[in-house]
Amino acid sequence: MSSIFFKQLKIKSPDINLDVNNVSRGEMIGEMIKKINKKFLEKTPNIVLLFGDTNSTLAGAVAASSFNCEIIHIEAGLRSYNKEMPEEHNRIVSDHLSSILCVTSSEPYNNLLNEGFSEKKIFLTGDVMFDNFKMLQKEISEKKSYNKFNLKKNSFILTTIHRQENTHNIIRLKNIFKKLNDISTQNCPVVLPIHPATRQKLLKIKSILQNHCS
């Protein structure tokens, strides 16, 4: 799925692809750390730049902590305070292993201060995701999707669903889609670019319902 991002954001594809997919979270992180560590032994990095709260972010932080290098975490300090979210574990551990913490706003800045981080390690650098949106805003507004789906500008809702606490809970996922359906029929259209993981969960629900009704 990542290839479309490189194309749309007009950035160079990575020189190295770890190619770790379709395994459990623990196995994925362990295999990533192993492969990253091997590459670090070959390259000996001075700086390791990490972004976000994914499993690869955590793996990069753990691998880099064994080397004498600066570890920079972009989007540091964000907290949901929900320990059931794997992303929350990734954020916290990555922050604690990083030497430079780049935050998007005053809220994550204060989160880190409240957790005892030194103010000297924290830098307010802004929101990269918002920067990307601003950069592509004109292109997005000119997309032919408006005509394709018969949409009127500023009269529809764009939504995505991919967080594990929603997609891994059948009842919650069904309720989310029921409400989205209510909104689309009673208020305005809902456009849903569906994440592959969400699609798989929906197909599983469909299969369960069909088996239950047959």
Side-chain angles (χ1 to χ4, degrees):
M1 190 178 79
S2 61
S3 60
I4 192 173
F5 299 133
F6 299 118
K7 181 180 179 180
Q8 291 184 343
L9 296 175
K10 299 179 177 63
I11 57 178
K12 181 178 177 289
S13 296
D15 296 322
I16 300 168
N17 188 334
L18 299 179
D19 196 26
V20 181
N21 300 293
N22 302 318
V23 293
S24 67
R25 178 172 181 264
E27 188 177 353
M28 175 180 288
I29 294 171
E31 191 64 23
M32 283 180 174
I33 293 172
K34 179 181 175 180
K35 290 189 174 185
I36 294 171
N37 185 75
K38 183 178 179 180
K39 292 298 179 182
F40 282 178
L41 288 171
E42 296 173 2
K43 302 292 184 180
T44 317
N46 295 315
I47 299 173
V48 173
L49 185 67
L50 308 169
F51 181 87
D53 56 14
T54 63
N55 292 339
S56 57
T57 307
L58 174 58
V62 174
S65 66
S66 297
F67 294 80
N68 185 26
C69 62
E70 294 279 10
I71 304 175
I72 304 174
H73 187 198
I74 309 295
E75 276 197 348
L78 296 175
R79 298 289 184 267
S80 67
Y81 298 103
N82 179 0
K83 290 294 184 66
E84 294 183 6
M85 293 178 64
E87 293 87 353
E88 188 77 349
H89 306 164
N90 297 346
R91 296 177 191 125
I92 293 171
V93 175
S94 296
D95 282 344
H96 281 272
L97 291 176
S98 297
S99 49
I100 296 176
L101 302 162
C102 299
V103 299
T104 58
S105 65
S106 59
E107 183 176 346
Y109 190 100
N110 291 327
N111 287 343
L112 292 172
L113 290 180
N114 292 335
E115 292 177 19
F117 285 89
S118 169
E119 191 172 5
K120 295 178 180 179
K121 295 176 60 175
I122 311 171
F123 298 87
L124 181 58
T125 55
D127 190 339
V128 176
M129 297 299 286
F130 183 67
D131 291 342
N132 278 329
F133 171 75
K134 295 294 287 184
M135 181 180 71
L136 296 170
Q137 189 172 15
K138 183 179 179 181
E139 184 178 336
I140 292 170
S141 65
E142 293 174 350
K143 284 286 186 183
K144 295 180 180 178
S145 301
Y146 288 104
N147 296 328
K148 181 179 178 181
F149 298 110
N150 195 28
L151 300 170
K152 294 181 180 179
K153 194 173 182 179
N154 300 324
S155 298
F156 65 94
I157 296 172
L158 178 68
T159 184
T160 62
I161 302 165
H162 65 276
R163 290 292 187 185
Q164 183 174 305
E165 64 270 22
N166 291 324
T167 60
H168 283 53
N169 185 311
I170 290 178
I171 295 175
R172 186 176 297 165
L173 190 60
K174 286 172 62 178
N175 286 337
I176 289 172
F177 273 90
K178 183 180 183 303
K179 291 301 179 182
L180 289 175
N181 186 62
D182 290 343
I183 292 170
S184 69
T185 55
Q186 299 171 18
N187 303 98
C188 64
V190 176
V191 179
L192 177 67
I194 195 162
H195 192 283
T198 308
R199 182 188 296 276
Q200 289 301 316
K201 291 298 178 181
L202 289 173
L203 290 173
K204 184 177 180 181
I205 291 174
K206 182 179 179 182
S207 176
I208 291 172
L209 291 174
Q210 287 176 339
N211 291 334
H212 180 73
C213 295
S214 60

